[in-house]
Amino acid sequence: MFEKNLNISLLLDFYGDILSERQKEILDLYYNDDLSLAEIAENYDISRQGVRSVLKKGENILIEMEEKLHLAERFSSVQEKSSQIALELQEITSSINDEKISMKIQALTSQIKDLAY
């Protein structure tokens, strides 16, 4: 059985523009809109095997790009580290009695969250 690799959805966001329009549409329908192979096949008037072939080729392109550039990996790492920093800053803020410093830490925490997302 053909199982979905949910990481492909993230890779599609980063590298989708290098795919052909058709590949991008089919991968988007499958991974983001959760259409089945049969539904996509019907929409494009091709076989389920044809859809699977387009999916596999597109997935391989996306995976190859990620292996070369690591953009999605770096993005995920920045998000994770930013969240950790924001949590630690919130803990520090709750233990500070100085309102000015507390407000500054909250502002910096907000900026970190904005950068990460």
Side-chain angles (χ1 to χ4, degrees):
M1 185 162 132
F2 187 53
E3 292 185 28
K4 290 186 180 182
N5 177 350
L6 300 181
N7 190 43
I8 296 295
S9 183
L10 178 63
L11 297 181
L12 188 58
D13 289 340
F14 278 91
Y15 308 112
D17 289 339
I18 66 169
L19 300 174
S20 72
E21 193 61 37
R22 184 175 184 176
Q23 285 174 323
K24 185 176 178 181
E25 288 172 4
I26 289 175
L27 267 75
D28 185 56
L29 289 171
Y30 186 72
Y31 286 102
N32 296 329
D33 294 342
D34 204 28
L35 268 62
S36 69
L37 296 177
E39 291 169 319
I40 297 169
E42 186 177 317
N43 290 344
Y44 283 86
D45 197 30
I46 58 177
S47 68
R48 289 177 69 235
Q49 184 58 39
V51 173
R52 188 177 191 290
S53 177
V54 171
L55 288 172
K56 291 312 278 177
K57 185 174 181 181
E59 288 169 1
N60 289 337
I61 291 169
L62 296 175
I63 290 167
E64 183 178 317
M65 289 305 297
E66 178 60 13
E67 287 173 352
K68 290 179 181 177
L69 301 175
H70 304 284
L71 296 178
E73 179 184 331
R74 288 181 191 144
F75 176 77
S76 295
S77 176
V78 167
Q79 277 191 318
E80 183 179 322
K81 289 175 183 175
S82 297
S83 292
Q84 290 172 349
I85 291 169
L87 284 173
E88 289 180 30
L89 286 172
Q90 286 175 342
E91 288 177 18
I92 291 170
T93 302
S94 66
S95 66
I96 292 178
N97 293 329
D98 187 329
E99 185 67 27
K100 255 182 147 175
I101 293 173
S102 181
M103 293 294 283
K104 182 66 176 173
I105 291 173
Q106 287 176 352
L108 291 171
T109 301
S110 179
Q111 289 177 5
I112 289 169
K113 288 179 180 178
D114 289 345
L115 285 173
Y117 304 99

